[in-house]
């Protein structure tokens, strides 16, 4: 399961894509991309807030993917016994 989640990529963006955080479904951040124009503004507080937003969005996507994958595996494991639970 972990290998499968490690191979799935999720992203979170903020400010219309000016910040993009890429992670895997195991919640490991793989990269952060910040648009040059956003850096030119020099507003450290805004940048920090936008990074938090993008990271949280990526982690939420990772949670959703992980839950979906776990549900699929559980369904496969218990296939014909679904009516018992």
């Amino acid at each position: 399961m972990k290998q499968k989640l490690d191979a799935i990529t999720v992203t979170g963006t903020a400010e219309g894509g000016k910040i993009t955080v890429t992670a895997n479904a195991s919640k490991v951040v793989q990269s952060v991309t910040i648009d040059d124009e956003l850096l030119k503004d020099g507003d450290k507080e805004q940048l920090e807030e936008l990074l938090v937003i993008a990271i949280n969005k990526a982690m939420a996507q990772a949670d959703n993917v992980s839950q979906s994958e776990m549900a699929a595996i559980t369904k496969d494991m218990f296939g014909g016994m679904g009516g018992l639970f």
Side-chain angles (χ1 to χ4, degrees):
M1 176 71 168
K2 182 174 176 358
Q3 288 177 339
K4 189 170 188 175
L5 293 177
D6 287 347
I8 298 172
T9 301
V10 297
T11 59
T13 61
E15 197 65 21
K18 290 185 179 178
I19 293 183
T20 301
V21 173
T22 303
N24 63 26
S26 293
K27 297 184 181 179
V28 175
V29 174
Q30 298 171 326
S31 68
V32 175
T33 305
I34 302 170
D35 185 272
D36 290 337
E37 288 298 315
L38 190 59
L39 286 175
K40 286 180 184 176
D41 291 341
D43 187 345
K44 181 180 182 259
E45 188 175 309
Q46 178 191 20
L47 181 59
E48 291 170 344
E49 289 174 10
L50 293 173
L51 276 169
V52 169
I53 291 168
I55 291 168
N56 286 337
K57 285 181 178 181
M59 293 302 107
Q61 279 192 355
D63 277 340
N64 289 339
V65 169
S66 179
Q67 289 174 7
S68 295
E69 291 297 322
M70 189 60 87
I73 286 173
T74 303
K75 183 179 177 184
D76 289 344
M77 286 174 54
F78 296 110
M81 299 187 321
L84 297 177
F85 297 100

